[in-house]
Amino acid sequence: MAGVRAAVVAAATAALLAPLAACSSGGSSGAPGTEADSKVSPGADDRPVKVTVTPTGERVPAGEPVRVTAAGGRLTSVTVTDAEGHNLAGKAAADGRSWVSDRKAAPGARYTVTAATRTEGGTAESTRAAFTTAPADKVNKVDWRPGSASTVGIAQPVSLVFDNPVKNRAEVEKQLRITTSNNTEGSWGWLTDWSGRDRVDWRPKAYWKPGTKVTLNADLNGTDSGAAGGWFVRDYTTSFTIGARQIAEVDLDRHRLTLVRDGRTVRRIPVSGGTPGGDKRSWRGTAVLMAKEGTINMNSETVGLGDAYDKMVEHSMRLTWSGMYAHAAPWNTRYFGNSNQSSGCIGMSDANAAWFYGQVRPGDPFEITGKDTKGVVAPGNGFGAWNLSWSEWQQKSALR
């Protein structure tokens, strides 16, 4: 993840203006009455440009852009650089009288502003100023998916989970930019993650087109999360590629999983889902393969099922945070293809699980149907956003 420290917040002081005022069209610094002064008498249109940078001072509040203005001339260039040598981009007004940075100042940073100007009479001048921002009293961090340079399935969202609460959701969302190789339509939506933390996901309107290249740029450095959330002090970025169009169709009524790739059936696998009539039922709707976890210990107490089981399970593929997996379940061999008798997961034989595990990748959707289930997978329980309509999902954006 590349973090770019960018920033803003500066201000002019008397020290900022003094060196600018000392400049002259001939570069002379002679005092009044000297030979240089008697030979060079600037006209009214060649007086020094008055430059103002705001805000000013040491340990100024972060979270505001740098603003530079010029009176009695115009700005020809403005450079704002942080202590690590990163430049802060910005835009000048058409008349050259003002400049505003695109980004906001990060906390605990030092910036140098260099302003090049030209007087009304055409004389080039330059001045510099430095300022610092107050350090953050609290820092907010981000956990994001998917990882950079990965290839994922057609249902994979971009998902950011925050360490601390995010009250300024609209302000944070403005800093998040998704770029795709084919202009895929999509939207951000704010959720409560299964962990209880604030989370924002970006999903396309429909499943991704295979081969799409996706980049997230989260320019959060210098953004305030709001009350109790703290400041972001770095940027985040990730890029990934969409793999083949692959869907696992799970019919719990027929006790069958069908792997469909590019519209063609690859294999049908007999399975056993969650036991009907209680807490051991499976979820239905669209679940997204979150991770291939291999051989793991599954303990029913961790998902509120008492002492129902405690065993090592192979070829485990996580579908929800609440504990629904697809995995090998050799102890249920007699039920595959004819009865749902698991503790909520989608079980299959060792051989089928090993083969299936090798075929799927994180981001592949599992479209699960069945009459006797616990309900539809919630948006924050894994990647359940696909169980909302497009209009419902759009309403979860803080910018709507």
Side-chain angles (χ1 to χ4, degrees), residues 19-39:
L20 183 62
C23 297
S24 71
S25 60
S28 171
S29 57
T34 65
E35 183 177 356
D37 184 67
S38 63
K39 291 180 179 179

Side-chain angles (χ1 to χ4, degrees), residues 10 16 27 59 159 193 198 226 261-262 325 366 375 382 390 399-400:
L16 170 65
R59 298 174 67 89
S159 184
D193 186 65
D198 285 343
R261 184 180 300 139
D262 297 326
Y325 286 78
F366 282 58
W390 177 236
L399 300 178
R400 293 287 174 178

Side-chain angles (χ1 to χ4, degrees), residues 79 130 312 351:
T79 303
M312 299 303 294

Side-chain angles (χ1 to χ4, degrees), residues 269-289:
I269 297 173
V271 299
S272 180
T275 304
D279 291 339
K280 293 184 180 181
R281 292 174 294 173
S282 300
W283 295 103
R284 71 175 184 274
T286 300
V288 177
L289 179 55

Side-chain angles (χ1 to χ4, degrees), residues 42-222:
D45 63 349
D46 206 31
R47 281 180 274 188
V49 180
K50 180 180 180 181
V51 175
T52 303
V53 184
T54 56
T56 185
E58 299 295 313
R59 298 174 67 89
V60 299
E64 294 296 332
V66 174
R67 301 178 186 276
V68 183
T69 60
R74 60 187 178 85
L75 298 164
T76 56
S77 70
V78 175
T79 303
V80 181
T81 308
D82 66 16
E84 296 179 357
H86 300 132
N87 289 335
L88 181 65
K91 295 182 179 64
D95 62 3
R97 305 291 182 178
S98 62
W99 182 95
V100 181
S101 63
D102 297 331
R103 301 286 302 276
K104 297 177 180 179
R110 178 178 180 82
Y111 299 97
T112 300
V113 179
T114 302
T117 60
R118 191 170 298 278
T119 68
E120 300 291 358
T123 301
E125 301 174 333
S126 179
T127 191
R128 298 181 69 192
F131 59 93
T132 64
T133 54
D137 55 358
K138 190 174 187 177
V139 173
N140 206 347
K141 297 180 180 179
V142 179
D143 179 30
W144 66 97
R145 295 187 185 211
S148 190
S150 57
T151 298
V152 297
I154 59 173
Q156 176 69 52
V158 179
S159 184
L160 307 180
V161 180
F162 303 94
D163 279 5
N164 301 324
V166 179
K167 302 298 183 184
N168 295 339
R169 292 185 171 184
E171 191 62 27
V172 168
E173 192 174 327
K174 288 176 184 177
Q175 312 308 315
L176 309 178
R177 186 173 75 259
I178 296 291
T179 305
T180 70
S181 59
N182 54 16
N183 298 316
T184 301
E185 181 181 1
S187 177
W188 291 100
W190 288 86
L191 310 168
T192 299
D193 186 65
W194 190 257
S195 65
R197 295 183 293 171
D198 285 343
R199 168 177 148 193
V200 64
D201 286 5
W202 194 97
R203 54 150 277 204
K205 181 178 181 180
Y207 288 155
W208 293 102
K209 180 180 179 181
T212 303
K213 297 186 182 303
V214 187
T215 299
L216 161 71
N217 286 295
D219 296 336
L220 292 170
N221 193 15

Side-chain angles (χ1 to χ4, degrees), residues 155-157 286-291 318-320 362-366 382-386:
Q156 176 69 52
T286 300
V288 177
L289 179 55
M290 301 176 67
R318 180 182 283 275
L319 300 177
T320 70
D364 284 345
F366 282 58
F383 300 133
W386 295 103

